[in-house]
C-alpha cells in the first residue's frame, strides 16, 4: 500500500474557514482525513500541503506515521510555525485515521484504549452584562453542561468600552480597530463573577479567558481578585512571550492556570510543565503538528501533574474535534475539553462529527477518527471575504487597540 495523493480541502459551512487534508492510498476507497485548520491563513496551509507535501509523500507507505511525521517536520529545515504545523497535522491525523481503518479499530484503541467513556466539555457564554451571561449559563446548564467559560463584553470586555463612561473611547485620528480598555476590563471581570456566584452558587464550574489581553502584573492582580469565585481555570492570563512571569503568578495565587492555545514550539511548554507553573495545557492540536506530538506532550504533562484542556473553538474542524475526543478518552491526565458546537450543516459536510450530549463528547466506535468529509457538499460552502474573523478579506478582530490607539495582543 502506498500514498497516491495528498490534498487540502477548504470549506466554510458554518461561516468559519476550515482546512482538512485528505490522504488517499493505492487501496481502493482507503483514505484518511486530518484537521489542518489555521483559519486566518488557510490558503498558506493549502499551498504547503499541495505544492510541497503531496510530492514529498507520493509513493510512501502510510503505515509509518512516526517516520513520516519526522520527515515532514524537518523537510523545510525551518520548522515549528503555525502554517507548517497545521499542514503537518493534516497529514498526521489522516495517517492515524488510515491506521485505524486498516486495524478495524477506533483511534482511542490505538492510543491504548479508553480510560473514560466521554470527555467533559466546557462551553462559552458571553454577554454585555452579568444578566446576559447568566441567562446563557442557565441555558447551557439546562442542556446538561457543568462547565461554562464566562466573558463579559467579549474578549477583553471590548464591547463595554463604548459606554458613556468614556473609558476606552478612541482618540481623534486613532486607527480603526477593536478598542478596549485594560483597566475597565480588569475591573469588570471580578464584578461579573461576583454576580454569577451570587446567582448560581458554587455547583457550576466557571472559567474565564483573559486571551493575553493584560499586562503581566495586571493579570496577576486579576488572578488574585478572582480567587473567591473558585474558577475551574483562568485561561491565557499571559501571552506566550510573557510566560517568564508565570513563576510570580503561581507564587501569589491559587487560581488554576491554563495556557497554550497559541503555542507552536515545544520550547514554549517544556519548562512551564516541568516547573509545574500551569495546571492545564491547552494547545491547539493541529497547531503543534497533530496527534503524534500531542501524545508526547500529554505524557510529559502527566509526569508533572498537569492536565490537558485541548483548544476546541469553532475554528477547529469536526475532524479536529474527533481527534481531540479520541485523545481525551485515552489520556489518563485529561482535564477538560473546550467544545463549540455548530449548525447542523457541519454534520452534512462532516458525516460522523462528534456531538455534545449532557456535557460530554463521546467518540464513535467506527474505525479511525470516525469522521469523514463529503467533498461535494463541502464545495457548496467556499471560503469568502466576510467569513468569521474576516471583514473584506482581512482579519479584523486581531487589530485590537488600547484607548491611546496603540496595538494590544488580541
Ligand atoms: O482563532 C482564534 C480563536 O480560536 C480563539 O480566539 C478562541 O481563545 C479562543 C478559545 O479559547 O476558544
Ligand atoms: Mg482561548
Amino acid at each position: 500500500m502506498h500514498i497516491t495523493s495528498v490534498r487540502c480541502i477548504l470549506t466554510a459551512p458554518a461561516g468559519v474557514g476550515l482546512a482538512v487534508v485528505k490522504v488517499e492510498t493505492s487501496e481502493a476507497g482507503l483514505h484518511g482525513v486530518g484537521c489542518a485548520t489555521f483559519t486566518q491563513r488557510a490558503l498558506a496551509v493549502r499551498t504547503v500541503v499541495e505544492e510541497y507535501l503531496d510530492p514529498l509523500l507520493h509513493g510512501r507507505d502510510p503505515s509509518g506515521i512516526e517516520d513520516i511525521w519526522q520527515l515532514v517536520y524537518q523537510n523545510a529545515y525551518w520548522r515549528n510555525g503555525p502554517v507548517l504545523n497545521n499542514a503537518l497535522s493534516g497529514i498526521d491525523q489522516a495517517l492515524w485515521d488510515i491506521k485505524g481503518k486498516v486495524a478495524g479499530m477506533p483511534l482511542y484503541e490505538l492510543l491504548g484504549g479508553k480510560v473514560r467513556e466521554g470527555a467533559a466539555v466546557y462551553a462559552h457564554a458571553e454577554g454585555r452584562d452579568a444578566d446576559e451571561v447568566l441567562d446563557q449559563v442557565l441555558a447551557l446548564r439546562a442542556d446538561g453542561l457543568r462547565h461554562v467559560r464566562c466573558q463579559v463584553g467579549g474578549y477583553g470586555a471590548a464591547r463595554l468600552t463604548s459606554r458613556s463612561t468614556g473609558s476606552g473611547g478612541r482618540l481623534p485620528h486613532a486607527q480603526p480597530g477593536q478598542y478596549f480598555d485594560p483597566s475597565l476590563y480588569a475591573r469588570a471581570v471580578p464584578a461579573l463573577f461576583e454576580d454569577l456566584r451570587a446567582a448560581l452558587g458554587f455547583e457550576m464550574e466557571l472559567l474565564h479567558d483573559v486571551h493575553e489581553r493584560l499586562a503581566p502584573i495586571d493579570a496577576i492582580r486579576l488572578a488574585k481578585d478572582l480567587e473567591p469565585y473558585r474558577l475551574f481555570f483562568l485561561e491565557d492570563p499571559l501571552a506566550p512571550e510573557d510566560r517568564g512571569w508565570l513563576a510570580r503568578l503561581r507564587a501569589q495565587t491559587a487560581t488554576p492556570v491554563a495556557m497554550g492555545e497559541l503555542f507552536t514550539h515545544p520550547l514554549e511548554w517544556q519548562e512551564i510543565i516541568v516547573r509545574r507553573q500551569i495546571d492545564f495545557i491547552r494547545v491547539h492540536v493541529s497547531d503543534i503538528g497533530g496527534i503524534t506530538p500531542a501524545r508526547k506532550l500529554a505524557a510529559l504533562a502527566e509526569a508533572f501533574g498537569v492536565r490537558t484542556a485541548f483548544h476546541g473553538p469553532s475554528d477547529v474542524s469536526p475532524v479536529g474535534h474527533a481527534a481531540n475526543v479520541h485523545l481525551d478518552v485515552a489520556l489518563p491526565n485529561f482535564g477538560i475539553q473546550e467544545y463549540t458546537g455548530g449548525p447542523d450543516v457541519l454534520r452534512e459536510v462532516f458525516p460522523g462529527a462528534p456531538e455534545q450530549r449532557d456535557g460530554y463528547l463521546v467518540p464513535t466506535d467506527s474505525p479511525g477518527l470516525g469522521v469523514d468529509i463529503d467533498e461535494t457538499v463541502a464545495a457548496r460552502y467556499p471560503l469568502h471575504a466576510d467569513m468569521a474573523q474576516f471583514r473584506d478579506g482581512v482579519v479584523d478582530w486581531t487589530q485590537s487597540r488600547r484607548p491611546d490607539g496603540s496595538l494590544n495582543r488580541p
Side-chain angles (χ1 to χ4, degrees):
M1 188 193 1
H2 59 269
I3 294 172
T4 52
S5 114
V6 178
R7 287 181 295 125
C8 183
I9 302 150
L10 303 181
T11 181
V16 181
L18 305 174
V20 168
V21 169
K22 188 166 182 175
V23 175
E24 287 167 303
T25 73
S26 51
E27 273 188 32
L30 180 60
H31 67 266
V33 287
C35 185
T37 301
F38 176 7
T39 203
Q40 294 85 344
R41 296 291 186 266
L43 299 176
V45 175
R46 183 174 65 183
T47 298
V48 171
V49 170
E50 300 198 341
E51 304 296 330
Y52 298 100
L53 302 185
D54 181 49
L56 175 68
L57 298 178
H58 254 245
R60 293 184 192 269
D61 178 355
S63 65
I65 300 177
E66 183 70 39
D67 185 65
I68 290 180
W69 194 92
Q70 301 293 345
L71 174 76
V72 174
Y73 181 62
Q74 67 182 43
N75 190 254
Y77 184 50
W78 279 279
R79 50 193 176 266
N80 291 311
V83 174
L84 296 182
N85 280 357
N86 269 286
L88 174 52
S89 163
I91 308 288
D92 176 74
Q93 295 190 1
L95 296 182
W96 280 101
D97 191 25
I98 290 171
K99 194 174 277 300
K101 288 173 176 168
V102 170
M105 290 181 189
L107 175 62
Y108 65 77
E109 290 291 2
L110 305 183
L111 299 175
K114 280 189 211 174
V115 298
R116 60 183 61 75
E117 290 307 314
V121 302
Y122 75 81
H124 181 91
E126 182 177 318
R128 281 166 302 176
D129 56 33
D131 287 342
E132 280 189 12
V133 178
L134 180 62
D135 285 349
Q136 287 189 28
V137 176
L138 292 175
L140 290 163
R141 186 171 75 176
D143 206 24
L145 280 133
R146 314 303 314 157
H147 302 79
V148 184
R149 185 175 67 193
C150 301
Q151 307 292 136
V152 64
Y155 293 129
R159 282 190 285 286
L160 302 186
T161 55
S162 57
R163 277 181 167 179
S164 53
T165 60
S167 182
R170 227 163 102 178
L171 288 177
H173 312 300
Q175 300 199 42
Q178 193 201 54
Y179 274 75
F180 88 107
D181 179 339
S183 126
L184 172 69
Y185 164 59
R187 291 194 311 275
V189 177
L192 167 72
F193 282 94
E194 185 176 7
D195 288 355
L196 291 175
R197 283 302 186 204
L200 291 164
F202 283 82
E203 201 196 324
M204 290 289 288
E205 297 284 7
L206 303 180
L207 304 78
H208 179 74
D209 190 353
V210 179
H211 218 270
E212 55 167 358
R213 287 228 163 177
L214 292 176
I217 192 64
D218 294 330
I220 292 174
R221 184 167 48 196
L222 177 62
K224 291 173 68 171
D225 287 349
L226 288 171
E227 268 183 356
Y229 313 116
R230 298 186 71 97
L231 294 196
F232 185 79
F233 64 55
L234 186 64
E235 178 175 326
D236 287 339
L238 301 167
E241 294 86 344
D242 287 331
R243 65 190 184 284
W245 284 79
L246 274 169
R248 285 166 207 230
L249 188 150
R250 297 297 266 181
Q252 295 198 44
T253 174
T255 292
V257 174
M259 273 191 63
E261 72 181 55
L262 285 144
F263 292 170
T264 57
H265 194 301
L267 293 180
E268 290 172 309
W269 61 71
Q270 281 169 9
E271 189 169 321
I272 64 173
I273 289 176
V274 170
R275 294 187 185 276
R276 299 181 172 89
Q277 289 172 343
I278 55 171
D279 301 282
F280 297 87
I281 178 77
R282 42 177 286 94
V283 293
H284 187 114
V285 168
S286 70
D287 265 294
I288 66 163
I291 294 161
T292 297
R295 294 172 75 205
K296 295 172 186 175
L297 164 56
L300 174 74
E302 183 192 349
F304 293 93
V306 174
R307 285 173 281 168
T308 64
F310 296 131
H311 196 218
S314 55
D315 52 322
V316 166
S317 74
V319 174
H321 285 301
N324 286 346
V325 178
H326 282 280
L327 285 162
D328 295 340
V329 298
L331 294 174
N333 55 326
F334 164 76
I336 189 87
Q337 178 60 57
E338 177 186 13
Y339 181 67
T340 316
D344 290 345
V345 64
L346 276 173
R347 311 185 62 73
E348 284 170 41
V349 177
F350 296 99
E355 245 179 315
Q356 184 269 124
R357 275 213 187 90
D358 295 326
Y360 289 91
L361 285 167
V362 177
T364 72
D365 291 330
S366 308
L369 288 170
V371 57
D372 208 343
I373 183 162
D374 183 325
E375 292 192 58
T376 313
V377 187
R380 282 190 224 141
Y381 303 99
L383 268 54
H384 55 89
D386 287 311
M387 51 191 180
Q389 306 211 14
F390 285 79
R391 188 180 297 165
D392 298 331
V394 171
V395 180
D396 193 39
W397 68 278
T398 50
Q399 301 179 51
S400 160
R401 290 184 186 271
R402 305 180 197 101
D404 67 359
S406 56
L407 276 164
N408 195 87
R409 290 193 186 100

